[in-house]
Amino acid sequence: MNSMHEFMSWVASPDSIGLNLIIALAMLVVGWAVSDVLGAGVRKAAARSSRIDPTIVPIVRSIVVWTIRGFTLIAVLARFGVQTASIIAVLGAAGLAIGLALQGTLQNIAAGIMLLALRPLRAGEYVSVVGKADGTVEEVGLFLTHFRQSDGIQITLPNSLVWGNPIVNYSRNATRRLDFQVGVRYGDDLDLAVETLRGLIGHHKLALPEPKPQVMVNEYRDSTVMINIRVWAQSSDYWDLNFDLYQSARKALEDVGLHLPIPVREVRTLTSGGQGA
């Protein structure tokens, strides 16, 4: 009974280490819980608002969560009488040393901030980081950018590589131009071929009337005259139009009597007298 009374007195004492430990533990639990709740709140608020770019959500969530946790740790140390000003100075010096040792990591953070500030890519856009990766942007994080390829494979690149290379954004503009070539054999009616293809494009539901589509002869090959089709489409319809033209253009030409070009080679043989035959 006396030992229990002594324990309760030890805990209840304002200067007791036990009381400070209990309060510090409670502060840690509450601080961590608050940081998680606010982090989840950031995601939910972004999901409900169409005006918030989803690209910036992960990094904003990380900043909110770790800012609260940092203040929580400082408050816990202050509870034990630790001079937080001195700790902040020590952490600043340590941060400088760590920063020098982790220059590449800091470059990724700086690159991530630049990507979020200047927005050369956003979540949901299909981009090509030239020489590195192609895919749909899933997330721009504090250190890494995540892409999903068209075959479902995920690619993760450090932010510094994304920022330090040319970025080709295929989704940013509402429309894209499709260049498509069709071969016609020598001897066939070129005017008929051009008019047939113009009619095909003019009535295609995915082809935009403006800018005006172009159908023109642009190349002569060994056994084929190449006709180039330039047509604009909505970015979301680009590949559907491309794949459909591979089927419908060939069929439209065959329906008017124009046939698939076949490579032709002229072969000559020399007789003993040197005359060709």
Side-chain angles (χ1 to χ4, degrees):
M1 188 72 180
N2 290 333
S3 60
M4 178 62 68
H5 179 73
E6 291 175 357
F7 174 76
M8 294 302 295
S9 299
W10 176 71
V11 170
S13 174
D15 298 326
S16 168
I17 297 177
L19 179 61
N20 287 332
L21 284 174
I22 293 174
I23 294 176
L25 181 60
M27 292 171 65
L28 282 174
V29 172
V30 172
W32 249 248
V34 169
S35 68
D36 289 337
V37 170
L38 290 181
V42 170
R43 286 189 179 276
K44 290 179 180 178
R48 288 195 299 265
S49 176
S50 59
R51 300 178 62 182
I52 298 177
D53 191 334
T55 310
I56 69 172
V57 175
I59 194 169
V60 171
R61 177 190 176 277
S62 297
I63 291 173
V64 170
V65 168
W66 287 106
T67 298
I68 295 173
R69 291 178 180 179
F71 280 117
T72 300
L73 291 174
I74 293 174
V76 168
L77 293 174
R79 181 68 193 178
F80 289 100
V82 177
Q83 295 296 324
T84 55
S86 301
I87 292 177
I88 293 174
V90 171
L91 289 176
L96 178 60
I98 294 172
L100 293 175
L102 300 176
Q103 294 184 41
T105 302
L106 294 179
Q107 286 177 357
N108 289 327
I109 296 175
I113 293 172
M114 296 302 295
L115 289 172
L116 292 172
L118 299 181
R119 308 283 184 85
L121 46 79
R122 296 173 182 170
E125 292 181 334
Y126 189 89
V127 304
S128 172
V129 181
V130 177
K132 302 300 178 183
D134 298 345
T136 302
V137 181
E138 290 193 324
E139 179 182 307
V140 179
L142 193 60
F143 303 100
L144 303 170
T145 300
H146 304 279
F147 301 89
R148 185 183 69 255
Q149 291 188 148
S150 56
D151 56 4
I153 296 176
Q154 187 181 67
I155 295 179
T156 301
L157 291 180
N159 289 338
S160 58
L161 283 183
V162 179
W163 178 252
N165 286 279
I167 299 173
V168 181
N169 193 321
Y170 294 100
S171 303
R172 181 62 56 87
N173 294 333
T175 59
R176 287 180 61 183
R177 192 185 77 185
L178 170 64
D179 281 49
F180 184 84
Q181 285 193 320
V182 180
V184 176
R185 68 182 182 180
Y186 286 105
D188 279 351
D189 190 338
L190 277 180
D191 291 334
L192 176 61
V194 169
E195 289 303 318
T196 300
L197 293 174
R198 282 178 178 163
L200 173 67
I201 297 301
H203 294 90
H204 201 291
K205 62 181 181 180
L206 299 181
L208 297 177
E210 293 294 336
K212 187 177 179 180
Q214 295 177 294
V215 180
M216 52 204 158
V217 177
N218 74 328
E219 187 178 356
Y220 294 101
R221 297 182 182 175
D222 290 345
S223 56
T224 309
V225 179
M226 302 304 299
I227 298 177
N228 182 260
I229 300 171
R230 290 182 176 178
V231 58
W232 288 80
Q234 295 291 334
S235 295
S236 57
D237 296 331
Y238 178 88
W239 288 109
D240 290 336
L241 177 60
N242 180 75
F243 295 141
D244 185 71
L245 284 181
Y246 269 102
Q247 177 178 349
S248 57
R250 183 71 262 159
K251 186 176 183 300
L253 293 179
E254 290 177 349
D255 288 345
V256 295
L258 304 176
H259 303 290
L260 184 71
I262 299 175
V264 176
R265 297 290 185 271
E266 182 177 335
V267 179
R268 294 186 179 187
T269 58
L270 297 177
T271 63
S272 58
Q275 298 294 325

